[in-house]
Amino acid sequence: MRVAMIGTGYVGLVSGACFADFGHVVTCVDKDASKIDRLKKGEIPIFEPGLDALVAQNVEAGRLAFTTEAKDAIASADAVFIAVGTPSRRGDGHADLSYVYAAAKEIAELMDGFTVVVTKSTVPVGTGDEVEAIIRETNPDADFAVVSNPEFLREGAAIKDFKIPDRVVVGTDSERAREVMRELYRPLFLNETPILFTSRRTSELIKYAANAFLAVKITFINEMADLCEAVGANVQEVSRGIGLDGRIGRKFLNAGPGYGGSCFPKDTLALTKTANDAGCPVRIVDTVVEVNAARKRAMADKVIKAMGGDVKGKTIGVLGLAFKPNTDDMRDAPSLDIIPALTEAGATVRAYDPESMHEAEKLLSGLDYAESAYAAIDGADAMVIITEWDQFRALDLDRVKTSLKSDIVVDLRNIYSPEDMAKRGFTYISVGRP
């Protein structure tokens, strides 16, 4: 089948490359000429493990192409995916749908024959109705169906999530559109992937509900971590004890500095706004948004307390800046709250991240960037782990000991053993563990 992917951001690029790898012919369209030029040269604008090779293979095979000109790509497409950004709108927290609506208008002007228009972007309930209205108004004679097909991609594992998903959700009442979507995802039938067909509005809500539930789970275990510290319990053992319950499950029960990234902060906020507008507030999610924001700020206080309550004139070596490992995404990363609070308190921060420092430089000022983990902590008064990159999990602790000016290690991801760190003579502070 022929696919046009509007938008070459994280979702559009990964989805386009994976559809091409399924055997479909995909053209990715973006108005950013510099980005398209980079992609044509084989330069991938985001960090995602395996994506560079996947793109190169499918470009070479003639199944994947990039362009700024949407006309031919849309006119020849069986399905056109809208995969543009939907950032939180300043002032009210609603998702900014201006890019989605602009894409819908352009698709309406260029489509030729029956076309399935698929919203891959994360959008509030009812957006598909508006997309349909825009297309109908722009091109009254158009033969089309609007489908909701939300993405469930984890940064750092996106290719696997696309090719071996837990489920595929498709929202449409059109049988013709269902047949097109079945054909697009037919390669997944070998894995017996569940494909859930729903109404369009239900599909749109599933995406927000899924991310909000995971955010609730993360925030719950973070609050349990605080309680564990207060009563002398171990949050990792609590997490294991409840996670073995099949009704709860083990995933997303790792205590830390709070959730971030491109999805959870934006989607929880958008869900609360949608719910409030509908006169049906989701108070649990409202609270999660507030608690998560406060937690990030509290992590800076945790570091300052570990350093005797005063960091003025002291140097702190920070390991990890991205919101999670295996990505360069800095959106709503905990480091964006923690590091400014430390520098405002008078500390000098020297930081290292394997992939995200080029992005961090755009968002964080007043700190130094190091070339390695050991360079970041050399001569520092404390080492603080914010992101759990694999290379931080097996540091040479003897070298860490000699590099640091003091013995203070604040591990906000619980990647080391308190007992082992104590034996090595560190003053070790973790999250929710004695």
Side-chain angles (χ1 to χ4, degrees), residues 113-129:
F114 178 68
T115 306
V116 177
V117 180
V118 188
T119 51
K120 199 70 172 170
S121 303
T122 300
V123 295
V125 178
T127 301
D129 298 349

Side-chain angles (χ1 to χ4, degrees), residues 320-322 327-330 353-361 389:
L321 296 168
T327 181
D328 60 355
D329 198 338
M330 287 292 299
D353 188 285
E355 294 293 341
S356 71
M357 291 195 291
H358 64 290
E359 293 295 329
E361 288 173 346
W389 285 91

